[in-house]
């Protein structure tokens, strides 16, 4: 059964329940009102008769102003009894015989009201309930006959409302089917106007498709760039091997060829390892406690030999910066920032950590030439190098890996100009105030 019909049946069942409860309440209220009206008319008749007791109350009227006969309902019967229970007067023919007991009673289809008089006598007023029961019966039939068409109308309106409400869902389903069949992920669902649930649904689906499109395009560009970067060293290896095998070479020539092969294969190994590291950043990190200050100390110590060889002075400072995540991945991201500063910066590098607001940071600054503002966003992409650095070695994956690690930990990579004029690269992560 479709969702439309399920919603329609739920709506019909609820409508039927409401109609039955409402109709039942209305019927009970009307029946009680009619009975109360009958009881009040009997009380009024008893009061009128009591005021006339002592005279010829029930004589034939000689004028239309006779108080009793002009105010009694047409089918009302009145009987007057003395203190000994003997009937002393009567108006009308009583259909039943009722006991002399003050209050209301029902005998058959006759409603009887008995009122005690001050002298010990009684006035008994009775009237048939047939008219009241007939009115109640007609009302009951009208309610029963009216429920069915109202229920059918409710089912029809419920289906129309469900169909109209589910139109955005149909569009989303059709679009998903079309994308699955054709692979055209650039399509979007028509945005539902307003701010209701369906508007949020179509907006969320379109946002998801936009994010999916961006991810696919990024992965496609990444695959093309990786193939391009790997093609050059593979071509070099193939060319050198082919050239070496064309004819006999001297041992020195073979040694030079093998050295080139070893160097190229080492560069390819480093590139493949970087690609694997970038792929691992898509995995959710473990919630392990990490202090960025400890990571800063470790990478500075590990890079001390490289810094001495390049004649670069590395200064570490800052305070404890607590966060949660994968310590190895964060160490790899920080190492990339430090080695970029050592290779492309000036003669001094500053590594600092700290907390600002609800974020912890690890920052690497240098006093080198820096990078123009227009180049910063491009360098976040894989296989991108700064202007003039295309032949300086490296795969151009360091900043891409660092940015992916930061995003995977719920943070971000921030690039800009440092206080000393060089590049300032900072990883910002959610700060944890208590490490358990």
């Amino acid at each position: 059964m479709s969702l439309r019909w399920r919603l329609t049946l739920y709506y019909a069942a609820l409508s039927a329940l409401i109609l039955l409860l409402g109709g039942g309440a209305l019927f009970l209220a009307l029946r009680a009102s009619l009975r109360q009206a009958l009881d009040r008319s009997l009380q009024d008749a008893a009061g009128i008769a009591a005021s006339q007791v002592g005279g010829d109350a029930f004589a034939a009227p000689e004028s239309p102003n006779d108080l009793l006969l002009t105010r009694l309902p047409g089918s009302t019967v009145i009987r007057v009894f003395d203190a000994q229970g003997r009937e002393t007067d009567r108006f009308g023919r009583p259909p039943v015989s009722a006991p002399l007991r003050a209050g209301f009673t029902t005998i058959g289809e006759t409603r009887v009201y008995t009122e005690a008089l001050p002298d010990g006598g009684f006035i008994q007023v009775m009237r048939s309930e047939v008219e009241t029961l007939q009115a109640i019966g007609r009302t009951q039939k009208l309610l029963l006959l009216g429920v069915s068409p109202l229920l059918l109308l409710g089912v029809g309106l419920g289906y129309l409302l469900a169909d109209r409400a589910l139109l955005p869902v149909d569009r989303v389903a059709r679009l998903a089917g079309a994308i699955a069949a054709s692979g055209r992920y650039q399509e979007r669902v028509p945005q539902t106007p307003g701010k209701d649930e369906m508007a949020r649904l179509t907006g969320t689906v379109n946002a998801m498709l936009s994010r999916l499109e961006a991810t696919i395009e990024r992965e496609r560009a990444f695959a093309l760039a990786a193939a391009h970067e790997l093609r050059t060293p593979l071509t070099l290896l193939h060319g050198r091997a082919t050239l070496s095998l064309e004819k006999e070479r001297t041992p020195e020539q073979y040694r030079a060829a093998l050295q080139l092969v070893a160097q190229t294969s080492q560069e390819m190994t480093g590139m493949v390892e970087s690609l694997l590291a970038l792929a691992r950043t898509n995995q959710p990190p473990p919630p392990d406690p990490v202090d960025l200050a400890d990571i800063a100390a470790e990478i500075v110590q590990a890079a001390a030999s490289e810094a001495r060889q390049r004649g670069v002075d590395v200064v570490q400072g800052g305070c404890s910066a607590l966060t949660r995540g994968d310590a190895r991945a964060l160490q790899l991201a920080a190492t990339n920032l430090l080695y970029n500063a050592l290779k492309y910066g000036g003669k001094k590098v500053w590594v600092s950590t700290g907390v600002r607001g609800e974020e912890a940071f690890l920052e690497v600054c240098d006093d080198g030439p820096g990078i123009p503002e227009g180049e910063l966003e491009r360098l976040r992409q894989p296989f991108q190098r700064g202007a003039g650095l295309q032949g300086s070695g490296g795969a151009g994956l360091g900043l891409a890996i660092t940015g992916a690690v930061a995003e995977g930990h719920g943070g971000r990579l921030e690039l800009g100009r440092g206080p000393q004029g060089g590049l300032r690269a900072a990883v910002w992560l959610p700060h944890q105030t208590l490490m358990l």
Side-chain angles (χ1 to χ4, degrees), residues 127-351:
R127 186 179 179 185
S128 175
E129 289 186 311
V130 172
E131 295 180 0
T132 302
L133 295 176
Q134 289 176 348
I136 293 174
R138 287 192 297 269
T139 303
Q140 185 176 11
K141 290 180 180 179
L142 289 175
L143 289 175
L144 292 176
L145 293 175
V147 165
S148 298
L150 288 176
L151 186 58
L152 292 176
L153 179 63
V155 170
L157 292 177
Y159 184 83
L160 293 177
L161 291 175
D163 181 72
R164 182 177 179 83
L166 293 175
L167 283 178
V169 179
D170 286 339
R171 288 196 289 265
V172 171
R174 286 195 296 269
L175 177 64
I179 292 175
S182 64
R184 294 192 300 268
Y185 51 83
Q186 297 87 356
E187 298 184 18
R188 297 294 182 270
V189 182
Q191 179 64 44
T192 302
K195 297 181 179 180
D196 57 7
E197 291 80 359
M198 291 304 173
R200 291 198 298 271
L201 172 63
T202 53
T204 302
V205 170
N206 286 334
M208 179 193 68
L209 291 174
S210 298
R211 183 73 177 269
L212 178 64
E213 180 183 4
T215 301
I216 293 176
E217 294 296 335
R218 184 171 62 250
E219 296 298 331
R220 178 179 294 177
F222 174 76
L224 292 174
H228 176 75
E229 291 291 332
L230 289 172
R231 183 176 60 182
T232 300
L234 287 174
T235 302
L236 179 61
L237 287 175
H238 182 266
R240 180 52 59 99
T242 302
L243 183 64
S244 299
L245 294 173
E246 283 182 353
K247 60 180 181 179
E248 291 293 330
R249 306 288 180 180
T250 64
E252 290 76 11
Q253 289 175 328
Y254 280 123
R255 186 178 295 108
L258 290 175
Q259 287 176 350
L260 179 60
V261 169
Q263 180 183 355
T264 304
S265 62
Q266 184 179 4
E267 292 177 356
M268 291 182 62
T269 300
M271 183 183 300
V272 171
E273 290 179 351
S274 297
L275 290 174
L276 289 174
L278 184 59
R280 292 191 191 102
T281 59
N282 293 327
Q283 301 175 359
D288 298 330
V290 180
D291 192 340
L292 296 181
D294 295 338
I295 290 180
E298 292 173 2
I299 64 171
V300 169
Q301 182 179 1
S305 176
E306 180 76 13
R308 282 194 301 269
Q309 291 179 6
R310 295 179 178 273
V312 179
D313 183 21
V314 180
V315 179
Q316 179 191 353
C319 61
S320 175
L322 304 178
T323 187
R324 288 188 181 274
D326 188 345
R328 293 181 60 185
L330 293 174
Q331 184 174 359
L332 174 62
T335 301
N336 289 335
L337 297 182
L338 178 57
Y339 273 84
N340 278 344
L342 292 177
K343 291 171 63 176
Y344 310 123
K347 293 301 180 180
K348 197 165 187 178
V349 174
W350 292 266
V351 180

